[in-house]
Amino acid sequence: MKVAVVGATGLVGTEMLTVLAARNFPVTELIPVASERSKGKEIEFKGKKYKVVTPSEAIALKPDVALFSAGGDTSKEFAPKFAEAGITVIDNSSAWRMDPTKKLVVPEVNGDVLSADDKIIANPNCSTIQMVVALKPLHDKYKIKRVVVSTYQSVTGTGVKAVNQLMDERAGKDGEKAYPYQIDLNVIPHIDVFQENGYTKEEMKMILETNKIMRDDSIKVTATTVRIPVMGGHSESLNIEFENDFDLNDVRAALAAQSGCIVVDDPASLQYPMPKDAHGRDEVFVGRIRRDESQPNTLNMWVVADNLRKGAATNAVQVAELLAEKGLI
């Protein structure tokens, strides 16, 4: 299969190449794509070197599938052009997520919505992906009424500039800033731009995307998203109110049975998920599972995943795998 990776030189694009190789996706020819200024650079994939091309050149090479991770503006400009050429696009930006004509897919949650007509498929926001993987089996079993989520998000979610800012600050050096404030030894309760309602765009993404992916607008979600000086993964504290009561052992069993989910929940042995343990992994880790004793039918839990893997690259590759499995590409 001919596979284009658009944004191949970026953090997520690089991770996509790693994931394609690790999961043995049937790549017969790789087409690394980036902007004009990166044209001609060499990318190594599975021991072979490939030259970076521009999006227009990539379309002419007719890949079967194009994994996009080059920002919303690039996606809006080029995804329709790839689609018109018969190339299936899986887009990691926010450009198409809430478009009613496009599918927003997490394979373990709503992979059944995919069809041969889907030429632009949206990859959800990183913090939404890990949350809905954990919510899906519980919604099926107990019906979720409301979710209160607070996130603790890695600097890798912002990109290379943010990683450099953290490491520069840690080394006591001046350098380019990704954030308006120091991030080392600090916490910034601000991810993406503020909206008129006082929420950030990141918070609204989690709210709106969850309803679309879960195919249930009755689920109420409220979010606070926070950047912390961590690399390796995003963490989330979830408070979930159900219509029906639950047994904690049944909750753990339902989560353990969920594809792509690993339960790490043994407080007596100090076992709980942490971003350093999720780093480089494709699964979503869940722990600190306990009843909310302040109101009925309500559960607290802690969810962790590598935001560059399951939160971005892995989910996109899994969508491609599912399309191939169904014979849709």
Side-chain angles (χ1 to χ4, degrees):
M1 200 175 291
K2 282 171 87 169
V3 178
V5 175
V6 182
T9 56
L11 264 187
V12 176
T14 303
E15 202 66 38
M16 281 176 172
L17 297 173
T18 302
V19 172
L20 284 166
R23 295 178 73 89
N24 286 315
F25 191 81
V27 180
T28 50
E29 185 184 337
L30 179 75
I31 304 169
V33 187
S35 63
E36 193 72 47
R37 70 177 180 274
S38 295
K39 182 181 172 177
K41 275 188 183 174
E42 284 195 333
I43 295 275
E44 190 167 320
F45 178 74
K46 284 193 159 183
K48 283 181 72 177
K49 286 188 164 54
Y50 296 87
K51 278 202 162 67
V52 170
V53 300
T54 65
S56 299
E57 290 170 330
I59 293 168
L61 293 169
K62 294 278 189 198
D64 299 291
V65 63
L67 306 178
F68 269 63
S69 189
D73 290 342
T74 300
S75 294
K76 281 179 180 166
E77 182 182 355
F78 286 105
K81 293 176 181 176
F82 275 73
E84 281 161 24
I87 302 157
T88 301
V89 171
I90 302 165
D91 179 50
N92 196 56
S93 79
S94 61
W96 307 101
R97 290 175 188 160
M98 296 314 298
D99 184 323
T101 67
K102 305 292 184 286
K103 307 285 174 59
L104 182 65
V105 178
V106 177
E108 302 93 330
V109 179
N110 66 335
D112 58 299
V113 301
L114 291 169
S115 73
D117 297 330
D118 297 318
K119 284 299 171 194
I120 299 177
I121 300 157
N123 211 35
N125 184 44
C126 48
S127 46
T128 307
I129 289 173
Q130 67 187 69
M131 181 170 75
V132 296
V133 168
L135 291 181
K136 174 68 165 67
L138 304 183
H139 185 52
D140 289 348
K141 203 168 172 67
Y142 307 112
K143 187 142 181 44
I144 295 170
K145 287 172 68 176
R146 182 171 185 255
V147 180
V148 181
V149 55
S150 296
T151 72
Y152 306 73
Q153 294 182 223
S154 163
V155 294
T156 56
T158 308
V160 174
K161 190 156 77 162
V163 173
N164 291 342
Q165 178 179 339
L166 173 61
M167 299 318 289
D168 284 345
E169 288 171 356
R170 197 150 284 188
K173 295 192 316 194
D174 276 334
E176 196 178 13
K177 306 288 186 198
Y179 304 119
Y181 300 103
Q182 174 183 320
I183 184 62
D184 190 34
L185 300 176
N186 195 24
V187 164
I188 304 174
H190 165 200
I191 298 177
D192 214 320
V193 295
F194 280 99
Q195 311 289 285
E196 283 185 14
N197 63 358
Y199 286 77
T200 65
K201 194 173 175 186
E202 181 86 355
E203 289 158 355
M204 294 310 300
K205 285 176 192 172
M206 293 192 76
I207 293 164
L208 299 171
E209 290 177 21
T210 298
N211 291 140
K212 183 171 179 178
I213 297 162
M214 302 285 281
R215 290 173 279 190
D216 192 339
D217 288 341
S218 74
I219 300 172
K220 305 298 181 193
V221 182
T222 188
T224 302
T225 58
V226 180
R227 191 70 68 190
I228 63 170
V230 159
M231 287 192 286
H234 290 351
S235 305
E236 298 172 351
S237 170
L238 301 183
N239 179 266
I240 312 155
E241 182 184 358
F242 300 105
E243 282 192 8
N244 304 301
D245 200 7
F246 54 84
D247 175 85
L248 284 174
N249 288 328
D250 291 344
V251 166
R252 291 186 185 96
L255 289 165
Q258 164 73 341
S259 175
C261 196
I262 294 177
V263 175
V264 183
D265 188 45
D266 184 5
S269 302
L270 308 185
Q271 297 296 307
Y272 32 72
M274 293 180 288
K276 74 176 187 65
D277 302 320
H279 183 57
R281 299 283 298 272
D282 291 334
E283 302 87 357
V284 173
F285 298 83
V286 186
R288 296 297 321 277
I289 300 164
R290 63 211 188 275
R291 189 176 287 275
D292 179 346
E293 296 183 348
S294 69
Q295 66 171 16
N297 303 352
T298 304
L299 182 78
N300 285 308
M301 63 187 195
W302 178 252
V303 179
V304 176
D306 185 325
N307 53 293
L308 295 183
R309 299 280 293 217
K310 182 55 181 168
T314 299
N315 198 76
V317 172
Q318 286 174 317
V319 171
E321 287 171 345
L322 190 55
L323 290 167
E325 187 185 307
K326 290 183 165 193
L328 303 176
I329 52 171

